[in-house]
Amino acid sequence: MITINLISPTGGSGRTSIALNLALLLHELGRDVLLVQADPVNMMTYQLGLEHRSELGLAHCLSEGRALSESIVTAESGLRLLPFGDMQGQDLYSVQNLLARTADPLLNLMGQPPLHDKTVMVVDLPRWPNVWCERFMAISDMNLITMTPDSGSVLSCNALLPALQNSRGASYFLMNRFESTHVLHLDIWTLCKIKLGHRLLPFYLHQDQALPESFATGSPLKDYAPLSQLTEDFQKLSNWIDLEIG
């Protein structure tokens, strides 16, 4: 199994939208993909165009020993999703404590069918640092750290760099919501290239109003705005990852 994590130390960096669009495009490339929402917000079902929020999900598989097959839902596109599940308060606190004590429940879950050696698991993680990031980074094959072209996003990555060194997977930084006509964005891009070197991906995702509009309609961006620059950006990203994971 190949695990790709979407990580960011700041909010609003686009982790969820990138995870969703990446998973859809890898699925179209013929990959066996499972999109995992390891974020208690648990809104991915709506963004995939599904009508109802899932009550069962990742949290229940870990805390109650439920089978993956009980919680996985399938979108109209054929993409499979493991939502976080509807869990709050003390129950959520308990499952997070369980993960903090041991990685065994997560490792056991990843060994269940329908996951297999060629499954690509794209994981939408909550804001770093937290126990979900720590556990998924320990089993990852690739970490995609999402950034936005502002000083806060760039500076916040300093604290994340040591944790990435302890991750099993290779780590790459992806600039999101970029405007190539903005001088400030270009300056930040140059600084990031100096700071991160080859770990900064040589392409970026453009700012595009079509993205929130596609979510509002429950349609994938590639269907809602097939000719947009951002659709092309996501296609480039998915093709690059498809080559990287072999």
Side-chain angles (χ1 to χ4, degrees):
M1 183 175 61
I2 300 167
T3 305
I4 302 172
N5 294 327
L6 275 296
I7 302 171
S8 177
T10 59
S13 64
R15 293 183 305 271
T16 299
S17 61
I18 295 171
L20 175 57
N21 283 280
L22 176 59
L24 283 166
L25 289 169
L26 288 174
H27 173 71
E28 283 200 347
L29 289 172
R31 295 281 186 174
D32 178 64
V33 180
L34 177 65
L35 178 58
V36 178
Q37 185 165 33
D39 187 338
V41 173
N42 196 36
M43 297 297 288
M44 191 78 83
T45 48
Y46 295 131
Q47 293 170 325
L48 273 174
L50 299 170
E51 294 182 1
H52 303 290
R53 182 176 177 177
S54 300
E55 293 186 3
L56 296 179
L58 171 64
H60 302 86
C61 292
L62 293 173
S63 63
E64 301 172 10
R66 291 178 177 270
L68 276 175
S69 56
E70 292 183 65
S71 300
I72 290 176
V73 295
T74 304
E76 186 176 339
S77 63
L79 177 65
R80 293 176 302 160
L81 167 69
L82 176 62
F84 185 85
D86 192 4
M87 184 175 287
Q88 301 174 19
Q90 184 60 41
D91 290 337
L92 178 58
Y93 182 73
S94 296
V95 73
Q96 290 177 162
N97 276 344
L98 174 65
L99 275 182
R101 291 194 302 272
T102 175
D104 290 348
L106 183 59
L107 293 174
N108 292 337
L109 190 66
M110 296 305 104
Q112 288 186 24
L115 301 181
H116 53 77
D117 290 345
K118 293 186 178 181
T119 298
V120 178
M121 189 167 67
V122 179
V123 185
D124 173 33
L125 287 163
R127 179 176 173 176
W128 182 89
N130 62 70
V131 67
W132 297 99
C133 287
E134 179 182 345
R135 290 306 187 202
F136 274 98
M137 286 169 67
I139 64 170
S140 71
D141 296 283
M142 180 184 293
N143 301 308
L144 279 181
I145 301 92
T146 61
M147 311 168 65
T148 50
D150 60 80
S151 57
S153 179
V154 175
L155 290 173
S156 66
C157 289
N158 291 335
L160 176 56
L161 289 172
L164 293 174
Q165 294 176 354
N166 296 324
S167 176
R168 193 188 78 170
S171 298
Y172 298 96
F173 291 78
L174 174 65
M175 190 69 74
N176 189 26
R177 296 175 182 158
F178 192 82
E179 290 283 1
S180 56
T181 58
H182 289 190
V183 174
L184 177 60
H185 288 197
L186 293 172
D187 288 344
I188 289 176
W189 176 260
T190 300
L191 288 172
C192 287
K193 284 199 295 184
I194 296 171
K195 180 183 180 67
L196 300 171
H198 72 282
R199 293 301 179 189
L200 177 66
L201 293 184
F203 47 84
Y204 38 75
L205 303 178
H206 287 82
Q207 178 80 20
D208 195 330
Q209 185 58 35
L211 183 61
E213 291 174 0
S214 70
F215 282 156
T217 62
S219 302
L221 177 67
K222 63 181 181 60
D223 295 336
Y224 181 81
L227 301 180
S228 74
Q229 178 63 61
L230 185 55
T231 297
E232 183 178 331
D233 296 341
F234 276 125
Q235 190 67 64
K236 185 183 298 184
L237 174 63
S238 63
N239 288 340
W240 177 82
I241 288 180
D242 188 53
L243 289 173
E244 281 290 304
I245 62 180

